[in-house]
Amino acid sequence: MLVLDRVGKTYPNGVRALDGIDLKVSPGEVVAVVGGSGCGKSTLLRAICGLDTPSQGRVLLDGETITSPHEKIGIVFQEARLLPWLSIAENVGFGLESWPRAEREQRVATALDRVGLGDKAGVWPRELSGGQAQRAAIARALVPRPEVLLLDEPFSALDAFTRADLQDHLLDLWSENRPTLILVTHDVDEAIVLADRILVMRPRPGRIYEEIAADLPRPRDRQSASFDHVKRRVLAALDRSMQRERRVDEGETRSEAGAGLWW
Amino acid sequence: MTSTAEPAAVQPRKSKAGLGRFVRWGLGLLLPLVVAVGWEAAVRLHWSDGRLVPPPSVIVATFMALAKTGELQRHVLVTTGRVAVGFGLGVIAGTMVGALAGYSSLTRRLIDPTMQALRAIPSIAWVPLFVLWFGIFEGSKITLIAVGVFFPVYLGVMGAVLSVDRKIVEVGRAFRLSGFQMVRRILLPAVLPHYVIALRSGLGLGWMFVVAAELLGASEGLGYLLVDGQQLGKPSQIVAAIVAFAIIGKITDWIIVLMSAPFLRWEDRAPGSMEA
Ligand SMILES: Nc1ncnc2c1ncn2[C@@H]1O[C@H](COP(=O)(O)OP(=O)(O)O)[C@@H](O)[C@H]1O
Ligand SMILES: [Mg+2]
């Protein structure tokens, strides 16, 4: 069980990127996080995986406080971030260096096959397309079998066709060991295709604005009425979260103008 | 260069590519060959006496004569030894200081301005001081070479460490690499291409400064052959020494390239740019 207990993050420059985030995610659950840009989604993932430490509150995985990167938590970034000097197989096996060679190669080969890169094992990263590189990055994160996999807009740099393909790959990989998935995305359809639960965030300070259940049967049919229903709810929540932001903005500008008059 | 379906087509294309490379090599050799043959002919036909600019045959003869007595080998060895020691010291110092300055911004702020100021001084200007400090024999020569090597290596290493992609370092952090593993698995491979370039330019300067050091006073070494040839009016000896410099300079550069090549296969570079 992953628990966020009143997590807040204030950057040294004073930006309150997160404030009072409470969240419980059960094992194997898929959670999507949506929200306008700058509302703290990346900050949230970085706090969960221990790349950044929260300023307030704490992140607990199975009762253990996460303060630095943890072997049970994997992360995939928006860019594949493969190491250019390692072959694809070596990249995918990056987290298994302490393993016996045979076992490592076995597991890497299986993972490469699963993401459809079986024939690319010996190739350099620069020879892969964007979609292939991102599949390798997902395989790299999954090969150590994390309990929690975080994905920060993993498909946003890809074209729509590749994106749908990678969503399928991700679900396929997920169904193998069923890690907890937390997926940040800009794409509402993607959130509904993949997630059991959708969190809508709003900015300044970054908070969870609304939580929407998307417990549709899998595999999900984008054309179904229930899909459409959830989609409308998410879009409406996003809209409200933005309006709220706008109102906050107006309030701020007004008080600034007021301060100007006072002077 | 798209692949064709027929495997038979692969073989001839390969040999054609090899031929293409041969032709490119040959093109580069054309100019010096024409000049050499032309000059040889000019001297043979008595259009010129070739006293000040000896023809290739005389240079080769001088080269052979020097080699036969073992004199050439002795001078080459002495010069190469000086470069090797100076290069080694310069590389060690440049690498350590450069890595430190790249790694910690505090160190960089502390030392980089001084380094840049020192770099602006023409290194030859140090010679009198080095002679006072380290004597007129090996000490001052090796120090001069080491100083020449130091700066390109320092700059190259500092720049390389500074330019390591933070995003890739973060991958290392996400996989919980220790400090040592981070250096071995992320930083070293990321820095290596720049480092090789820094070593090569350092070595080039090393050869430049050994000439300077030996011209300024030496009883052995290729630089001594240059001075000796000048004083005794033997231009063929001077040219022979210059040719020797060119050959071992190129060979030592190749050694660096060849030793680093297995580690740099991943680099995205146009084919053929290595032999520049
Ligand atoms: N390293 C940082 N230092 C200072 N401010 C930051 C840093 N990273 C992000 N921020 C700020 O925190 C807020 C949230 O950023 P982020 O989590 O990247 O948002 P999102 O991923 O939702 O687009 C933004 O206002 C951003 O400018
Ligand atoms: Mg982001």
Side-chain angles (χ1 to χ4, degrees), chain A residues 83 85 94, chain B residues 99 102-103 157 160-166 168-170 172 177-195 266:
Chain A
L83 308 185
W85 52 85
F94 190 77
Chain B
Y103 195 74
V157 170
V161 173
L162 279 175
S163 70
V164 171
D165 189 355
R166 268 191 59 248
I168 278 187
V169 173
E170 211 167 69
L177 298 190
S178 65
F180 172 72
Q181 287 174 322
M182 188 70 100
V183 169
R184 182 173 63 83
R185 300 184 68 190
I186 307 268
L187 296 180
L188 280 185
V191 159
L192 193 64
H194 308 271
Y195 192 50
W266 55 273

Side-chain angles (χ1 to χ4, degrees), chain B residues 14 111 225 249 251:
Chain B
K14 243 186 182 168
I111 62 175
L225 275 187
I251 288 176

Side-chain angles (χ1 to χ4, degrees), chain B:
Chain B
M1 285 274 269
T2 47
S3 62
T4 13
E6 310 130 64
V10 176
Q11 208 51 42
R13 194 190 302 118
K14 243 186 182 168
S15 60
K16 220 160 90 188
L19 200 75
R21 215 167 113 192
F22 235 72
V23 169
R24 255 181 290 143
W25 264 75
L27 276 180
L29 287 176
L30 204 59
L31 183 63
L33 271 179
V34 166
V35 171
V37 171
W39 188 241
E40 185 74 43
V43 175
R44 292 279 163 101
L45 298 171
H46 301 288
W47 295 342
S48 162
D49 64 358
R51 207 178 47 81
L52 280 179
V53 184
S57 60
V58 176
I59 295 166
V60 170
T62 311
F63 209 86
M64 288 306 169
L66 282 171
K68 204 169 276 169
T69 58
E71 219 179 326
L72 183 68
Q73 289 87 325
R74 184 165 60 92
H75 293 301
V76 165
L77 223 63
V78 167
T79 299
T80 311
R82 283 176 184 143
V83 173
V85 177
F87 179 69
L89 293 175
V91 165
I92 291 171
T95 306
M96 291 199 309
V97 182
L100 212 65
Y103 195 74
S104 122
S105 55
L106 177 65
T107 327
R108 186 166 59 255
R109 297 224 175 83
L110 273 174
I111 62 175
D112 191 53
T114 310
M115 290 298 151
Q116 299 295 348
L118 289 177
R119 191 170 73 99
I121 301 170
S123 302
I124 310 288
W126 292 106
V127 167
L129 205 53
F130 288 166
V131 170
L132 281 183
W133 286 349
F134 306 111
I136 51 165
F137 299 111
E138 296 309 307
S140 55
K141 294 187 180 62
I142 285 170
T143 310
L144 179 65
I145 297 166
V147 167
V149 172
F150 173 84
F151 285 106
V153 173
Y154 162 78
L155 282 180
V157 170
M158 181 177 74
V161 173
L162 279 175
S163 70
V164 171
D165 189 355
R166 268 191 59 248
K167 291 181 167 179
I168 278 187
V169 173
E170 211 167 69
V171 171
R173 284 188 58 211
F175 278 101
R176 304 180 320 286
L177 298 190
S178 65
F180 172 72
Q181 287 174 322
M182 188 70 100
V183 169
R184 182 173 63 83
R185 300 184 68 190
I186 307 268
L187 296 180
L188 280 185
V191 159
L192 193 64
H194 308 271
Y195 192 50
V196 171
I197 292 171
L199 289 185
R200 290 176 71 182
S201 46
L203 185 65
L205 281 178
W207 283 109
M208 217 165 104
F209 281 94
V210 81
V211 179
E214 291 180 347
L215 281 180
L216 292 170
S219 53
E220 278 182 315
L222 288 173
Y224 162 79
L225 275 187
L226 295 174
V227 179
D228 189 58
Q230 181 209 329
Q231 286 171 350
L232 301 181
K234 292 192 283 190
S236 64
Q237 182 178 317
I238 297 177
V239 180
I242 289 174
V243 170
F245 266 123
I247 292 172
I248 45 176
K250 189 73 194 172
I251 288 176
T252 47
D253 185 57
W254 261 336
I255 291 176
I256 296 184
V257 172
L258 286 181
M259 284 194 342
S260 60
F263 304 103
L264 296 179
R265 277 179 306 140
W266 55 273
E267 261 198 310
D268 205 357
R269 51 175 7 137
S273 65
M274 273 300 263
E275 59 213 68

